[in-house]
Amino acid sequence: MPKPGGGDEGAGPRHVAIIMDGNGRWAKARRLPRVAGHRAGAEAVRRTVRAACEMGLEALTLYAFSSENWRRPATEIADLMGLLRRFVASELEEIARNDVRLKIVGDWRKLEPDIVAMLDDAIARTASNRALTLAIALNYGARDEMLRVTRRLMREARAGEIDPDALDEAVVEARLDTAELPPLDLLIRTSGEVRLSNFLLWQAAYSELVFTDTLWPDFDAAALSAACDVFAGRERRYGGL
Ligand code: IPE
Ligand code: IPE
Ligand code: MG
């Protein structure tokens, strides 16, 4: 069985995903409201996207809002959605100029209509860009993604479009939100928490995991490069020898 792309020992990752955690604790440490942490987190996103472009990554997937984050107070959700609007409005020019293609993963069409329209426009405007693919996970949950894939497959089977006996990994992969992205090489989580919190459970099956105590608002090019160095030193075996 061929190795799933990229990450020969010593080589850098093609696709990096980040669980951007710790905004609240960053703010708390400074006696600031949580929204100040999210604002500083948006700056870290800007820096990290720039760094990913400079490093020549093919894909960067950022966990921005999970399907479970709806459990937070309405005021915090409104702050996060406000920051998302501002981020897209202020960054689209630079993203487009840097040949970055924007993609959204998750059940994002359930966000507020003006955000969906804004994202649709940003996706269309960057669709032919060929450097970095920036995938932002919004209303994303890996279990929800698997449910959406399963529902679709069952509908296709019922319509006679797919034979259940022909189902294989490639058929599922092609229906995941991440379908056109390279295999996930490296998954980083900031803030010292050591869990996946429902992020990319299928895609991370053979990813290298790096957990750092750095809080997301403090993350920068050096932190990304350090995680990529750790990755380059790992030996990936995929169950073989
Ligand atoms: C990550 O920071 C941002 C989102 C989950 C949207 P948190 O808001 O989870 O920060 P902590 O974990 O409370 O420090
Ligand atoms: C994961 O962080 C989600 C995002 C970074 C968007 P959380 O802060 O929501 O995760 P838990 O609740 O600590 O597992
Ligand atoms: Mg958190």
Side-chain angles (χ1 to χ4, degrees):
M1 207 166 103
K3 288 187 178 188
D8 290 335
E9 216 178 333
R14 296 170 63 197
H15 180 186
V16 175
I18 310 181
I19 302 174
M20 309 184 288
D21 198 13
N23 294 352
R25 279 162 283 168
W26 184 93
K28 193 172 181 198
R30 286 162 182 74
R31 299 173 190 279
L32 294 169
R34 290 180 58 85
V35 65
H38 295 314
R39 237 178 261 133
E43 288 301 320
V45 171
R46 212 163 279 156
R47 286 196 295 274
T48 305
V49 172
R50 225 169 265 163
C53 286
E54 280 161 17
M55 288 172 61
L57 285 188
E58 280 177 56
L60 176 69
T61 302
L62 299 176
Y63 205 6
F65 194 86
S66 77
S67 49
E68 286 71 37
N69 286 145
W70 297 109
R71 294 175 185 159
R72 297 192 178 197
T75 49
E76 174 151 346
I77 294 171
D79 287 339
L80 288 166
M81 295 302 155
L83 279 167
L84 173 63
R85 285 184 182 93
R86 234 170 299 156
F87 182 84
V88 176
S90 66
E91 292 309 292
L92 187 56
E93 282 312 316
E94 180 171 340
I95 283 175
R97 198 171 349 104
N98 288 338
D99 203 21
V100 175
R101 182 171 70 116
L102 182 71
K103 184 178 166 63
I104 310 294
V105 297
D107 203 1
W108 61 281
R109 291 195 178 275
K110 293 202 178 125
L111 298 179
E112 287 174 47
D114 72 297
I115 295 182
V116 173
M118 191 177 200
L119 292 172
D120 264 327
D121 172 61
I123 292 165
R125 276 181 61 187
T126 60
S128 57
N129 290 354
R130 286 290 168 263
L132 175 76
T133 297
L134 171 63
I136 302 183
L138 293 170
N139 191 21
Y140 176 87
R143 288 180 175 177
D144 178 67
E145 179 183 37
M146 287 313 304
L147 284 175
R148 286 185 282 112
V149 169
T150 306
R151 272 187 217 114
R152 183 168 153 191
L153 286 168
M154 290 179 84
R155 269 190 223 107
E156 289 175 12
R158 192 171 55 193
E161 291 159 9
I162 189 167
D163 171 8
D165 293 322
L167 192 64
D168 60 12
E169 290 187 12
V171 171
V172 174
E173 294 259 359
R175 286 158 182 75
L176 292 172
D177 294 346
T178 51
E180 342 79 284
L181 299 178
L184 179 60
D185 294 315
L186 170 61
L187 175 59
I188 302 169
R189 184 174 188 143
T190 60
S191 88
E193 306 294 352
V194 185
R195 56 176 168 263
L196 296 179
S197 299
N198 204 13
F199 193 42
L200 303 177
L201 299 183
W202 171 289
Q203 295 86 343
Y206 271 104
S207 305
E208 294 299 324
L209 309 180
V210 170
F211 297 94
T212 164
D213 287 336
T214 304
L215 299 173
W216 176 251
D218 293 325
F219 200 86
D220 58 9
L224 178 63
S225 158
C228 291
D229 287 346
V230 171
F231 171 87
R234 299 257 179 98
E235 186 197 348
R236 305 180 81 187
R237 288 195 288 266
Y238 302 100
L241 292 179

